[in-house]
Amino acid sequence: MLTATKPPIRRIQHRNPARTRERLLRSAFHHVYRSGFQGTDIDSVINHAGVTKGALYHHFTGKEALGYAIVDEVITNITLEKWVKPLENPPDPLTAIAQIVQSTSIAPDELCGGCPLNNLAQEMSPLDEGFRKRIETVFNLWHGAIANALRNGQKRNLVRADIDANETTAFLIATYEGYLSLAKSSQDPRMLQSCKKTITNYLESLRPQTRRTRKPAPRV
Amino acid sequence: MLTATKPPIRRIQHRNPARTRERLLRSAFHHVYRSGFQGTDIDSVINHAGVTKGALYHHFTGKEALGYAIVDEVITNITLEKWVKPLENPPDPLTAIAQIVQSTSIAPDELCGGCPLNNLAQEMSPLDEGFRKRIETVFNLWHGAIANALRNGQKRNLVRADIDANETTAFLIATYEGYLSLAKSSQDPRMLQSCKKTITNYLESLRPQTRRTRKPAPRV
Amino acid sequence: MLTATKPPIRRIQHRNPARTRERLLRSAFHHVYRSGFQGTDIDSVINHAGVTKGALYHHFTGKEALGYAIVDEVITNITLEKWVKPLENPPDPLTAIAQIVQSTSIAPDELCGGCPLNNLAQEMSPLDEGFRKRIETVFNLWHGAIANALRNGQKRNLVRADIDANETTAFLIATYEGYLSLAKSSQDPRMLQSCKKTITNYLESLRPQTRRTRKPAPRV
Amino acid sequence: MLTATKPPIRRIQHRNPARTRERLLRSAFHHVYRSGFQGTDIDSVINHAGVTKGALYHHFTGKEALGYAIVDEVITNITLEKWVKPLENPPDPLTAIAQIVQSTSIAPDELCGGCPLNNLAQEMSPLDEGFRKRIETVFNLWHGAIANALRNGQKRNLVRADIDANETTAFLIATYEGYLSLAKSSQDPRMLQSCKKTITNYLESLRPQTRRTRKPAPRV
DNA sequence: ACGCCCGGGACGCCCCGTTGGT
DNA sequence: ACCAACGGGGCGTCCCGGGCGT
C-alpha cells in the first residue's frame, strides 16, 4: 500500500483491562488520600491514570463504586500487608506490633497525609452507610489481627494474662490513630516520635512480669 | 377567617447584624460538622440560617472566610468553654480533666459526628494552609490548657512530678481523639465508654503515690 | 461640658451634596471610560469616590441614571470645552479646528482609552435607547459646532464656498473617530500622528484658492 | 395512537463535534455582536445554539476562549471573505475596493450593529491583551489586503505612484470605520451613503492623471 | 469485551445592582 | 447620607451517560 500505515501510536498498552482497572484504582486512591473523597474530581483521576472517562465507567458504575473499591481493595490490601501478615505467626507478638508501629513513615507526604483508612472514615462514615460498613470491615480486620496476636501471646505466656485483648487492641488503635491525626494537622514529625515511644513503652508494659523485676502491672 | 392576617413575618429581627452573623456561623458550623467543609454548600447554610446570599457575602468574603471564622470563633469558643475555663483554677486538675472527658456526649448525633476540631483538621489541614494554621492555634489552646493544669497540679503535689506535662498532654489528646474517631466510624457508644474508662484510669495513675498504697507508677 | 466634644473627624467635607455628586460622576466616568458601562461595577465607583452606596442612590436612581448623567454632564462638558467654546468666534475656523485636532493627547492612557463619547456610543447605542438619544445629542452638539464654524468661515471667505458644511463635518468627525479607534486598538501613537497630519492637510485644502497658488479644489 | 412513538427526538444531529463547535461559534458571535462581549451571557449562547454547557466547555475552556475563537475564526473569516479574497487579483484595485465599500449593508440590523471587528476592538482592547493582540492581527490582515492591492495597482499604473500605500490604507480604514461608528450610533442610513460616496470619490482621486484632464492630485 | 469521545445538565460559588430602616 | 440585607443570575465545574470504533 502506498499510504503508509497510520502510526500505531497506541497508548501505553492497548487493551489491558486489568491494568486499566489497577491504574484507575491507584490514581483514585492517591487523589482521595490527598483531597478527600468529595474533594476528588474524576477528571484528575483519569488524567493521572492516563485513561479516559469511558474506561472508568466501564470498570466502575460511578464515583461511589470507585470509592468503595478503594476501601475494599486498596486500603484492605495495605492493611493486610502492614498489619495482618506480619502478625500471623510472630515469634513475639508485642515485638512484632512494636516493629510495625516503628515502621510508620515520617516522610512529609505521609506525615501530612495521615492514615488513609482513618481519613476516609472521618470524612465518609457519617455521610454514606456504604462507606461506613466497608470501613468498619477493614477496622475489624485490623483489630482482629492485633487482638489475635495478643491472645496468641497470652497463650504462649509472652503477654500478660490479665489484660483484655479487645480492650487493649482498641486502646492501641485509638492512640495510634490519634497521634497520626495530631501529626497530620501539626505537620510536626516529633508528634510521630512521641507516638512511637509511647506505644512501644506501653507494649513493653504488657509483658508478663519476671520474678526479678517485680514491676507491677501498668494501669491503662 | 378569610382574609388571613397579613404575615407579620418580619424576619427574625430586622436589622441585627450581630445576630445575622451569629446565625450564619451557627448554621455553617452545623453543616460543616455534618458534611465536611467541601461537602457543605452555601445555599443550605443560608437557608438554614434564614438569611440571604447578600447577607452572607456582606459578613464574609466567601466560603473560605466562613470556614476560617468557624475555626476562629465557633470551635475556639467550644474549646474555651469545654477545656480552658474548667481548667483555669481547678481544685484538683486530674479530677477536672477526668470530668471533662466523662462529660463527652454519647448522643448518637455527636457520636457519629466526631470532634469538630479533628474533623476539620483531618479534612482541611493538607489542603489549605490557612485552615491548618488556625486549627493548630486551637490545638495549642487546648494543649496549653491541659499542660498548664498538669504543671499546676505538680506544683501543688496533686500530680506526679516525674511526668512531662507536654508529653502527657499530647498522649491524652491523641488517645481521646483516637477513641472519638473510632467511635465515629463504628457508631458504637461502647467505644466512648472504653475511652472514658481508659483515660480516667490513666489520669488516676498520674496521682502522686501515697505511702500506704505503694502502688508504683504506671508506665505509659 | 466635661465629655469633650467628639472629634469632628468628619469626612473630607461633611454634607456637601454637590461635591458628593461631583465625585460620583467623576469616578463613574473614569471607570466607564476604562471598562465600559457594562463592565463597570458600582462598588468600585463608590469606593473610588469615597462615598457610600446610600449616597449614590440618593443622587441617582440607579446605574442607568448614573450612566445617563455621564453623557449629559461629563461628556457634554468635555465636548463643550474642547470643541464648542474654541469654535464660537474663531478668527480662522480652519486653523481653530486644526488646533483642536492637534491638541489630542498622545499620552498612553488616552491613546488606549479612545474617545469617551465614541466608546459609550459603540457599546450602548444598540442596547439602550436612552443612551443612544443622549449620545446623539452630544454628537449633534459637536457636529453643530464644527458646521457652524465652517459656515461662518464661508461667510467670511475663509472657507471654500463650494463645500457642504454638514457633509464636510461628518467626514471630519468620522475620520477623526476612525483614527482614534485604530489608535486605541493598535496602541500605536503613530496612528494619532497620521490622524493629525491627514486631517490638517485636509483642512488646508478647504481654504479658498488664492490667485497665485492656483491649486484646484481637492476632492474628498 | 396511544402508544405514541417513542420520541426519536434525536437532536439536530447526534454526535457531530464540528457542527456543534460551529453552532456555538455562530451563536456566540451573534450575541457578542449584539451585546458586546461582557454583555453576552453564556446561557443565552448555548440556548440559541441548541447545545448544553457540557458541550460548550468541551470545546472551549471558558468564555474568554470562546471570545478569542470568535476573533480568530469568525471575524477573521469574514475579513477574508469580504476584503482579502476580492483583493487578491483584481483587474482594477481601486474599483475592487470601491465595490467592497459599496457592498456594505444598510440593513437596519447591520447599520445598528456596526463593524464586528471594531466593536470588539473598542470594548476589549484596553481590557484584555489577548483580545487586543488577536484583533490587531485581523486589522493587519485587512490592512495588508488593501495596501497590497494599492501597491499592485501602482505597479500596473492603475494607482497614482505618489501616494504611500500604508498611509492611504490607514486613512481608508479609519474613515470607513469612523463612518460606520457614526451610522451605528445615529442609526441613520444616510450616514452610510455619505460614507460610500466620500470613499468612492476619494478612491477615484487616486487614479493616475490622464493627459487630457490635467486634474492635479487631490490632497488628503 | 474494552475503551474513547462527545455531550448533558445540575448546582456551586460568587457578584452585583438595589432597597429599607436609622 | 449610611449600613445592613436582598435575591437574581453569571460563569464554571462536576459527575455522568450514550453512540461508536476496535
Side-chain angles (χ1 to χ4, degrees):
Chain A
M1 235 167 85
L2 282 180
T3 57
T5 58
K6 277 264 197 58
I9 297 195
R10 329 233 147 218
R11 306 180 164 278
I12 304 148
Q13 223 163 325
H14 197 51
R15 284 304 168 95
N16 190 333
R19 181 178 180 80
T20 298
R21 204 187 126 92
E22 180 66 20
R23 292 177 67 82
L24 278 167
L25 271 178
R26 270 192 208 290
S27 173
F29 170 72
H30 183 245
H31 281 82
V32 170
Y33 181 51
R34 307 230 85 131
S35 317
F37 179 75
Q38 301 180 90
T40 291
D41 83 306
I42 295 286
D43 282 317
S44 303
V45 171
I46 61 170
N47 287 336
H48 186 249
V51 303
T52 62
K53 286 251 182 72
L56 188 154
Y57 283 90
H58 176 72
H59 289 286
F60 302 95
T61 62
K63 192 189 188 188
E64 189 182 70
L66 185 59
Y68 289 174
I70 289 175
V71 183
D72 289 340
E73 306 181 32
V74 184
I75 296 183
T76 294
N77 276 337
I78 291 174
T79 306
L80 286 171
E81 293 297 324
K82 177 160 185 178
W83 291 94
V84 178
K85 287 190 182 171
L87 293 183
E88 262 169 2
N89 278 306
D92 178 355
L94 296 178
T95 301
I97 297 172
Q99 281 174 343
I100 298 173
V101 171
Q102 292 287 345
S103 76
T104 302
S105 166
I106 60 166
D109 273 13
E110 296 173 55
L111 180 70
C112 305
C115 168
L117 177 58
N118 197 34
N119 287 355
L120 260 180
Q122 294 307 304
E123 181 187 4
M124 300 308 295
S125 281
L127 298 179
D128 185 302
E129 186 65 9
F131 266 109
R132 219 207 93 246
K133 287 253 176 70
R134 285 167 169 82
I135 287 165
E136 200 172 19
T137 301
V138 185
F139 267 123
N140 288 338
L141 180 70
W142 183 10
H143 185 104
I146 297 178
N148 276 337
L150 291 177
R151 278 188 286 265
N152 171 294
Q154 287 177 318
K155 282 180 194 158
R156 295 156 61 203
N157 201 32
L158 295 170
V159 174
R160 279 170 41 191
D162 64 336
I163 61 154
D164 179 88
N166 280 332
E167 292 270 338
T168 302
T169 299
F171 170 77
L172 281 169
I173 292 180
T175 302
Y176 181 67
E177 290 287 21
Y179 271 112
L180 257 56
S181 289
L182 297 188
K184 178 179 175 180
S185 59
S186 69
Q187 297 190 349
D188 185 348
R190 286 176 302 178
M191 196 59 82
L192 273 193
Q193 290 164 6
S194 287
C195 173
K196 293 178 182 180
K197 195 182 76 179
T198 303
I199 291 187
T200 300
N201 283 344
Y202 173 70
L203 287 169
E204 287 307 311
S205 80
L206 296 184
R207 295 194 186 281
Q209 319 245 316
T210 62
R211 256 152 252 133
R212 286 188 288 277
T213 60
R214 300 219 38 197
K215 191 165 98 188
R219 299 288 316 249
V220 169
Chain B
M1 241 167 67
L2 282 182
T3 58
T5 59
K6 260 290 189 46
I9 296 194
R10 320 207 138 265
R11 312 192 155 270
I12 303 129
Q13 218 160 329
H14 208 47
R15 276 311 165 99
N16 192 333
R19 183 176 178 81
T20 298
R21 204 187 127 93
E22 180 66 20
R23 291 180 66 81
L24 279 167
L25 273 178
R26 271 193 208 289
S27 172
F29 170 73
H30 184 245
H31 282 82
V32 169
Y33 181 52
R34 305 229 87 126
S35 317
F37 179 74
Q38 301 181 89
T40 292
D41 84 302
I42 294 287
D43 282 315
S44 303
V45 170
I46 62 171
N47 287 336
H48 185 250
V51 304
T52 62
K53 286 250 182 70
L56 189 154
Y57 284 90
H58 176 71
H59 289 285
F60 303 95
T61 59
K63 193 189 187 187
E64 186 183 76
L66 186 58
Y68 289 173
I70 289 175
V71 182
D72 290 339
E73 305 181 32
V74 183
I75 297 183
T76 294
N77 276 338
I78 291 174
T79 305
L80 286 171
E81 292 298 325
K82 179 162 182 177
W83 291 93
V84 179
K85 287 191 184 170
L87 293 183
E88 261 167 3
N89 278 308
D92 178 356
L94 295 177
T95 301
I97 297 172
Q99 282 175 342
I100 297 173
V101 171
Q102 292 289 342
S103 75
T104 302
S105 166
I106 60 166
D109 272 12
E110 296 175 54
L111 180 70
C112 304
C115 167
L117 177 58
N118 198 34
N119 287 356
L120 260 180
Q122 295 305 305
E123 181 188 4
M124 299 309 295
S125 281
L127 298 180
D128 184 302
E129 187 65 10
F131 266 109
R132 217 207 94 244
K133 288 250 176 72
R134 286 168 169 80
I135 288 166
E136 199 172 20
T137 301
V138 185
F139 267 123
N140 288 338
L141 179 72
W142 184 9
H143 184 103
I146 297 179
N148 277 338
L150 291 177
R151 279 188 283 264
N152 170 293
Q154 287 176 319
K155 282 182 195 155
R156 294 156 59 204
N157 202 31
L158 295 170
V159 174
R160 279 171 41 192
D162 63 335
I163 62 154
D164 179 89
N166 280 330
E167 292 269 338
T168 303
T169 300
F171 170 77
L172 281 168
I173 293 180
T175 302
Y176 180 69
E177 290 287 21
Y179 270 113
L180 257 56
S181 289
L182 297 188
K184 177 178 175 180
S185 59
S186 70
Q187 300 192 349
D188 184 348
R190 283 175 304 176
M191 196 61 81
L192 272 193
Q193 289 163 6
S194 286
C195 172
K196 293 178 182 181
K197 197 183 76 181
T198 302
I199 292 185
T200 302
N201 283 344
Y202 173 70
L203 287 170
E204 286 308 311
S205 79
L206 296 184
R207 294 196 186 281
Q209 319 248 317
T210 62
R211 253 152 254 131
R212 286 188 288 277
T213 60
R214 300 222 37 196
K215 191 167 95 186
R219 298 289 315 247
V220 169
Chain C
M1 239 170 74
L2 282 182
T3 59
T5 60
K6 276 268 197 56
I9 296 193
R10 328 243 148 208
R11 315 186 154 273
I12 304 150
Q13 225 162 323
H14 197 52
R15 284 299 166 105
N16 189 333
R19 180 176 181 79
T20 296
R21 204 187 126 91
E22 180 64 20
R23 293 177 64 82
L24 278 168
L25 271 178
R26 269 193 208 288
S27 172
F29 170 72
H30 183 246
H31 282 83
V32 170
Y33 181 51
R34 308 231 84 131
S35 317
F37 179 73
Q38 300 181 92
T40 292
D41 83 304
I42 296 286
D43 282 315
S44 302
V45 172
I46 61 170
N47 287 336
H48 186 250
V51 304
T52 62
K53 285 247 184 76
L56 189 153
Y57 280 90
H58 175 71
H59 289 286
F60 303 95
T61 62
K63 192 189 186 186
E64 187 181 73
L66 185 59
Y68 290 174
I70 288 175
V71 183
D72 291 338
E73 305 181 32
V74 183
I75 296 182
T76 294
N77 275 337
I78 291 174
T79 304
L80 286 170
E81 293 297 325
K82 178 160 185 177
W83 293 92
V84 180
K85 289 192 183 169
L87 294 182
E88 264 168 3
N89 278 307
D92 176 356
L94 295 177
T95 301
I97 296 173
Q99 280 174 345
I100 297 174
V101 171
Q102 292 287 343
S103 76
T104 302
S105 166
I106 60 164
D109 273 12
E110 295 173 57
L111 182 70
C112 305
C115 167
L117 177 59
N118 197 34
N119 287 356
L120 260 180
Q122 295 306 305
E123 181 188 2
M124 299 309 295
S125 281
L127 298 180
D128 185 302
E129 187 65 10
F131 266 109
R132 219 206 93 247
K133 288 252 177 68
R134 285 168 170 83
I135 287 165
E136 200 172 20
T137 301
V138 184
F139 268 122
N140 288 338
L141 180 69
W142 184 8
H143 185 103
I146 296 179
N148 276 337
L150 291 177
R151 280 187 284 264
N152 170 294
Q154 287 176 318
K155 284 180 193 154
R156 295 157 59 204
N157 200 33
L158 295 170
V159 175
R160 281 169 39 192
D162 63 337
I163 62 154
D164 179 88
N166 280 332
E167 290 271 339
T168 302
T169 300
F171 169 76
L172 280 169
I173 292 181
T175 301
Y176 180 68
E177 289 288 20
Y179 270 113
L180 257 56
S181 289
L182 296 189
K184 178 179 175 180
S185 59
S186 69
Q187 298 190 350
D188 186 347
R190 287 175 304 179
M191 196 60 82
L192 273 192
Q193 290 164 7
S194 287
C195 172
K196 293 178 182 180
K197 196 182 75 180
T198 303
I199 292 186
T200 301
N201 283 344
Y202 174 70
L203 288 169
E204 286 308 311
S205 78
L206 297 183
R207 295 194 185 281
Q209 319 244 319
T210 64
R211 254 151 255 132
R212 287 187 287 276
T213 60
R214 303 216 37 190
K215 191 167 97 185
R219 300 287 316 247
V220 169
Chain D
M1 239 168 68
L2 280 182
T3 58
T5 59
K6 259 301 186 39
I9 297 192
R10 322 205 141 266
R11 315 192 149 269
I12 302 139
Q13 217 160 329
H14 205 50
R15 279 310 166 97
N16 191 333
R19 183 179 178 79
T20 299
R21 204 188 126 92
E22 181 65 20
R23 291 179 65 81
L24 279 166
L25 273 177
R26 272 193 207 290
S27 172
F29 170 73
H30 183 244
H31 281 82
V32 169
Y33 181 52
R34 305 229 86 123
S35 318
F37 179 75
Q38 301 182 90
T40 292
D41 86 300
I42 294 287
D43 282 313
S44 303
V45 171
I46 61 172
N47 287 337
H48 185 251
V51 302
T52 62
K53 282 253 179 76
L56 189 154
Y57 283 92
H58 176 72
H59 289 283
F60 303 95
T61 61
K63 193 187 186 187
E64 186 183 76
L66 186 58
Y68 289 173
I70 289 175
V71 183
D72 290 338
E73 306 181 31
V74 183
I75 296 182
T76 294
N77 276 337
I78 291 174
T79 305
L80 286 171
E81 292 298 325
K82 178 161 185 178
W83 291 93
V84 179
K85 289 190 183 170
L87 294 183
E88 263 168 4
N89 278 306
D92 178 356
L94 295 177
T95 302
I97 296 173
Q99 282 174 343
I100 298 174
V101 171
Q102 293 288 344
S103 76
T104 302
S105 166
I106 60 164
D109 272 12
E110 297 173 54
L111 181 70
C112 304
C115 167
L117 178 59
N118 198 34
N119 287 357
L120 260 180
Q122 295 307 305
E123 180 187 5
M124 299 309 295
S125 280
L127 297 180
D128 184 302
E129 186 65 10
F131 266 109
R132 218 206 94 246
K133 287 249 177 72
R134 286 167 169 82
I135 288 166
E136 199 172 20
T137 300
V138 185
F139 268 123
N140 288 337
L141 180 71
W142 184 8
H143 184 104
I146 297 179
N148 276 337
L150 292 177
R151 279 187 284 264
N152 171 294
Q154 287 177 317
K155 284 181 195 157
R156 294 157 59 204
N157 201 32
L158 296 169
V159 174
R160 279 170 41 194
D162 64 336
I163 62 154
D164 179 89
N166 281 331
E167 291 271 339
T168 303
T169 301
F171 170 77
L172 280 169
I173 293 181
T175 302
Y176 181 68
E177 290 288 20
Y179 271 113
L180 258 56
S181 289
L182 296 188
K184 177 178 176 181
S185 59
S186 70
Q187 299 191 351
D188 185 347
R190 287 175 301 177
M191 195 60 81
L192 272 193
Q193 290 163 5
S194 287
C195 172
K196 292 178 184 181
K197 195 183 74 181
T198 302
I199 291 185
T200 301
N201 282 346
Y202 174 70
L203 287 169
E204 286 308 312
S205 79
L206 297 184
R207 295 195 187 280
Q209 319 247 316
T210 64
R211 252 153 255 130
R212 288 185 287 277
T213 61
R214 301 222 37 190
K215 189 169 97 190
R219 297 291 316 240
V220 170

